[in-house]
Amino acid sequence: MSAPTEDPTQLDRAGATAAVTASAEAFRNWGRWGQDDVLGTVNFIDDAKRAEAAALVKRGVSFSLSQPFDMNGPQLGWRRRTNPVHTMLDTGTDAEAGKQGFPHGIGGADDVVAMPLQCSTQWDGLGHIFDRGFAWNGRRAGDVVTSDGDLVTGIEHMAASLVGRGVLLDLGRFLRPGSAVGDGELPDGYAITTQEIEACIAAQGESSRIGRGDIVLVRTGRYTRARREGWNGYAGGPSAGLSFTTAGWLHRTEIAAIATDTWGFEVRPNEFDDAFQPLHQVVIPNMGLTIGEMWDLDALADDSAASGNYEFLLAAPPIPITRAVGSPVNPIALR
């Protein structure tokens, strides 16, 4: 079987199966951290890496990288994904009416949220995607995720791990510079290549160097446009994103995780005629790479452009929901 290409023009649009197979075999990390591993590439974040990241905090400025969690979100019901439903259980009205049954005038409010775990800013867990019946580390998919949840690689295992050095790659601003509306935003269907990633790193400078254990954030500008024009297919529709051919770069750089401002991380429509999220199929179950989606990178990008600094301490732990295959997150970038 031929080696995977890093040139999108060399992809055979009818050859999704062969391309996925070749990339899965070339970039597979099964057994790299032992047969019982549950973290995948997050293993690259060690104590020294976290200490290095903590030293990046100089100004004390923080940025939330989360989209809102509310009923006005992007979800349209695909695969039963809905926007969060927020319901009050106790209110100030109840307290004023004396209906809560508490003594000496004390009252309170309580609420509940019902939502799919991947309806807004989130991490994909290692049990989220399978490759031809296999989950991360070569386990049978049915032995990993059942009706009881992810019995092996549940997102709770990463609760203390996803803190480290973050690096923003503002591909939208790098590839579409300017000041007009729409500049800094890549068009739908734009496949970001390895060459463009490396050129962006070089242009942004030393603070953008990428190495083992880094958490890479890629801004395409898709969320920027959604905020300006409305969702318009943001969830599941066309979008700029990483080319399938970036799998080799994702593997050899030994990054710990990657997140984007898009719904699906990779370019949509996908680069094959008959495929659904083929880069997911390679990097999650085979490489063990943790992916974040629907992050709001705009304020961080503006500050990075103004300061010329693209690195920061990133604290992005998932909610430790037992046996979940993904988790909402409010990532915080600190400088």
Side-chain angles (χ1 to χ4, degrees):
M1 181 172 293
S2 60
T5 179
E6 293 199 17
D7 181 357
T9 66
Q10 299 302 309
L11 287 178
D12 176 5
R13 291 198 60 87
T17 299
V20 168
T21 299
S23 291
E25 292 179 356
F27 308 129
R28 185 170 286 155
N29 282 328
W30 292 356
R32 184 168 184 171
W33 296 284
Q35 64 180 4
D36 297 326
D37 180 65
V38 296
L39 296 179
T41 57
V42 172
N43 281 291
F44 287 132
I45 307 177
D46 57 19
D47 292 347
K49 194 68 183 179
R50 294 189 188 94
E52 172 194 347
L56 297 175
V57 181
K58 308 293 186 183
R59 297 156 52 200
V61 179
S62 64
F63 301 87
S64 169
L65 310 182
S66 178
Q67 294 185 20
F69 284 78
D70 58 39
M71 293 184 66
N72 297 317
Q75 299 299 331
L76 299 173
W78 178 80
R79 293 182 64 83
R80 297 180 292 279
R81 288 185 183 175
T82 61
N83 294 310
V85 178
H86 178 216
T87 304
M88 297 306 302
L89 301 178
D90 269 318
T91 68
T93 305
D94 297 329
E96 286 184 4
K99 295 180 178 179
Q100 295 182 325
F102 297 125
H104 56 78
I106 189 173
D110 268 348
D111 47 5
V112 62
V113 173
M115 65 179 179
L117 299 184
Q118 295 175 335
C119 65
S120 187
T121 306
Q122 51 92 20
W123 286 118
D124 285 345
L126 294 181
H128 177 54
I129 296 292
F130 312 121
D131 180 14
R132 288 160 286 193
F134 286 92
W136 161 241
N137 225 22
R139 305 176 178 104
R140 298 292 309 182
D143 293 335
V144 175
V145 183
T146 72
S147 58
D148 290 323
D150 187 335
L151 308 179
V152 181
T153 51
I155 201 73
E156 71 273 14
H157 295 293
M158 295 193 180
S161 300
L162 280 161
V163 179
R165 178 179 180 259
V167 179
L168 175 70
L169 301 182
D170 192 347
L171 270 297
R173 195 176 252 118
F174 171 65
L175 294 171
R176 291 278 304 264
S179 58
V181 173
D183 287 337
E185 304 167 24
L186 300 180
D188 291 341
Y190 191 100
I192 298 168
T193 68
T194 297
Q195 182 180 22
E196 289 169 333
I197 291 173
E198 292 176 341
C200 179
I201 292 169
Q204 289 184 177
E206 174 61 22
S207 67
S208 296
R209 60 178 173 78
I210 302 294
R212 174 182 288 190
D214 289 333
I215 303 172
V216 177
L217 309 185
V218 174
R219 180 185 171 276
T220 69
R222 180 63 183 90
Y223 182 56
T224 313
R225 176 155 57 90
R227 291 202 299 187
R228 184 178 66 250
E229 299 178 358
W231 293 118
N232 295 333
Y234 178 87
S239 176
L242 268 66
S243 169
F244 180 81
T245 59
T246 60
W249 183 87
L250 295 169
H251 183 257
R252 68 173 173 267
T253 52
E254 297 185 329
I255 61 172
I258 187 168
T260 71
D261 60 348
T262 73
W263 173 86
F265 159 69
E266 57 191 284
V267 63
R268 291 181 57 82
N270 300 139
E271 295 160 285
F272 301 100
D273 294 331
D274 183 21
F276 179 74
Q277 302 299 79
L279 190 55
H280 275 68
Q281 189 176 347
V282 170
V283 303
I284 294 180
N286 290 289
M287 197 182 300
L289 180 66
T290 292
I291 293 174
E293 293 158 332
M294 295 184 282
W295 290 35
D296 178 0
L297 304 177
D298 285 353
L300 178 64
D302 288 344
D303 185 78
S304 297
S307 65
N309 178 26
Y310 291 85
E311 63 183 344
F312 41 87
L313 170 65
L314 179 66
I319 301 172
I321 303 168
T322 304
R323 297 180 176 178
V325 298
S327 171
V329 63
N330 176 27
I332 301 295
L334 290 156
R335 314 196 120 132

